[in-house]
Amino acid sequence: MSQYDVIVIGAGPGGYVAAIRAAQLGFKTACIDAGVNKAGDAPALGGTCLNVGCIPSKALLQSSEHFHAVQHDFAEHGITVGDIKFDAAKMIERKDGIVNKLTGGVKFLFQKNKIDSLFGLGSFKGKNGDLYQIEVDNKGEKTVVEAKHVIVATGSVPRPLPQIAIDNVNVLDNEGALNLTEVPAKLGVIGSGVIGLEMGSVWKRVGSEVTILEAAPTFLAAADQQIAKEAFKFFTKEQGLEIELGVKIGEIKAGQGVTVQYETAKGEAKTETFDKLIVAIGRIPNTNGLNVEAVGLEKDERGFIKVDGDCKTNLPNVWAIGDVVRGPMLAHKASDEGVAVAERIAGQKPHIDFNNVPFVIYTDPEIAWVGKTEEQLKAEGVEYKKGTSGFGANGRALAMGKAKGTIKVLACVKTDRILGVHMIGPVVSELVSEGVTSLEFSASSEDIARIIHAHPTLSEVLHEAALAADKRALHG
Ligand code: FAD
Ligand code: NAI
């Protein structure tokens, strides 16, 4: 029977990164994963993120942005293009190529770091002294491996809607939404969260009429509401996404199309028929088949594996990271927890500040933030000052033809320490890193105001927002 220092269950961005760091630290490491490729005929490492999440969605967002730009933005640059056609199947093929390249990259990294990659469903079997026994089930062929430390990184799965089952033909989850080879004339989306907005944007840009039905009365409730309101205006007024807030979804029937009955916020009964329906109402932790009962691994009332701030479970030497534990379901949060756990196993003392996890929504304009929102600061009774600056007069944004959006810096009135940075605008997914660095280093808004920002760059908007927090904006 093979014995390891560390066994990781799950090879998503949490698990595969944890395995690499454990191997780097000198541990004999194995990583078990049950993921298969799109064709279903070969293992595919990388989890949700690489196969059916972050990466494929960004590939489609990019393709759809190009299609939109060639139709709507090129003319003002003096570029005339003839007969423009869109081939959805080709877009999906390109996306699949990127997925294959990256999932193959994880396989290569495992080989390079001498990590044993075991294919199959991993489950707890019991204990042999200090060692945990894990069964690996590869289509009925079962083997048992043992390790002193186990890191559970089994991720999450889409939250089902009780009214209708996902068939990924007409009623789609993220997998189906990323694999449409024809543009649906009418697309319905349930949930105006991150997936709803990103996938809705993709299919809207390539020609679908998109209606998003959202249960919550507030749009993007977790985001700073000034930014959320600006985003809502862009998406509905400028881009033509229909977003209906505060709805109650009733009966859903799938046949030729998908018919959704719902009640509006004003209590009006409505029925809409869509060619395809995407259900994106959040994700739930995945502990399917893990057999936590065999060793008494505890879950909380929502099904997440219970962990403390250091990702320790109720069992000695069993750790859990990523989407299967509390906290935001984000790839970078999963990876950072993976690194930290491997280092804790090695006796190091890493620290993750969960207040400094950046959030990004890859719409156009993009939305990004780190730290506290104004709403949170008010609720906590923190006295804060704010500085805002727009992209409208930023030279680089104008040159790019993307001069829309705002950056807001929130800082403590007493100490000037930056408490939150909120952005909507071009490529703010990249700009938010300066906000993260500021929070990590406890920077003041004056620090950012005094740092030289290259000209002409989009980062000058953040510079101006920091100056504005001290009421000395130069261009505002
Ligand atoms: P996963 O990536 O879910 O990996 C878990 C792995 O464990 C899978 O490979 C699964 O097959 C395997 N597994 C599960 N159970 C077992 C078992 N018993 N035995 C063996 N293997 C098992 N996050 C971002 O930060 N940025 C984004 O832009 C972004 N975009 C997204 C877009 C979409 C459409 C979706 C759905 C998600 C997106 N996310 C994004 C979220 C991100 O994908 C997740 O937060 C991240 O993948 C979580 O990583 P993980 O390692 O915890 O789990
Ligand atoms: P989400 O939590 O972002 O949004 C779900 C939305 O559905 C919420 O607005 C919620 O109010 C709504 N909702 C819930 N039940 C409903 C119902 N019965 N009827 C109508 N609306 C309902 O979840 P989403 O979009 O499914 O994405 C899952 C997770 O994946 C995200 O939370 C995020 O962690 C991750 N993700 C991250 C991305 C990024 O970082 N750019 C991109 C895509 C996903």
Side-chain angles (χ1 to χ4, degrees), residues 159-353:
R159 179 193 302 285
L161 190 67
Q163 289 94 324
I164 189 92
I166 299 292
D167 60 12
N168 274 331
V169 178
N170 292 315
V171 185
L172 319 168
D173 60 14
N174 54 304
E175 281 197 55
L178 290 163
N179 280 317
L180 291 173
T181 49
E182 279 177 25
V183 180
K186 271 190 93 175
L187 175 68
V189 181
I190 301 189
S192 71
V194 203
I195 295 180
L197 291 173
E198 290 187 358
M199 288 297 100
S201 300
V202 166
W203 295 106
K204 172 74 194 168
R205 285 185 206 126
V206 298
S208 295
E209 190 186 306
V210 178
T211 303
I212 305 182
L213 302 172
E214 165 63 48
T218 311
F219 182 62
L220 288 179
D224 186 279
Q225 282 305 295
Q226 180 187 345
I227 301 291
K229 284 192 180 108
E230 203 170 326
F232 190 78
K233 237 192 242 167
F234 280 129
F235 300 152
T236 55
K237 300 257 184 301
E238 290 194 17
Q239 298 173 6
L241 284 174
E242 284 285 328
I243 306 176
E244 182 106 50
L245 300 174
V247 307
K248 214 187 264 166
I249 304 291
E251 202 179 34
I252 302 179
K253 277 193 193 140
Q256 272 299 80
V258 187
T259 303
V260 180
Q261 291 181 356
Y262 63 96
E263 191 183 300
T264 66
K266 289 183 184 147
E268 207 183 325
K270 278 199 175 176
T271 302
E272 286 268 11
T273 299
F274 304 107
D275 297 297
K276 304 278 176 188
L277 179 74
I278 298 174
V279 178
I281 57 165
R283 293 177 66 84
I284 51 174
N286 174 25
T287 51
N288 290 335
L290 202 53
N291 196 22
V292 292
E293 298 76 18
V295 285
L297 180 61
E298 281 179 13
K299 294 196 259 181
D300 69 16
E301 60 290 345
R302 294 190 300 155
F304 290 95
I305 293 179
K306 254 195 207 171
V307 287
D308 65 9
D310 286 348
C311 297
K312 278 187 187 145
T313 68
N314 65 309
L315 301 175
N317 300 335
V318 178
W319 312 75
I321 58 171
D323 281 11
V324 79
V325 303
R326 61 18 204 162
M329 289 183 167
L330 296 171
H332 41 280
K333 177 261 190 185
S335 296
D336 269 35
E337 285 183 333
V339 168
V341 163
E343 292 177 351
R344 282 180 197 121
I345 292 172
Q348 298 180 9
K349 305 256 180 272
H351 174 70
I352 297 177
D353 187 340

Side-chain angles (χ1 to χ4, degrees), residues 98-139:
I98 295 167
V99 168
N100 290 339
K101 188 169 177 169
L102 289 176
T103 54
V106 178
K107 191 173 162 189
F108 164 79
L109 288 172
F110 277 3
Q111 284 160 357
K112 186 181 160 205
N113 288 283
K114 302 191 170 46
I115 295 162
D116 282 352
S117 183
L118 310 177
F119 176 68
L121 196 70
S123 60
F124 284 97
K125 193 171 163 62
K127 281 196 87 172
N128 171 19
D130 274 354
L131 302 178
Y132 288 93
Q133 297 187 308
I134 309 290
E135 184 177 271
V136 186
D137 183 346
N138 177 1
K139 294 179 199 136

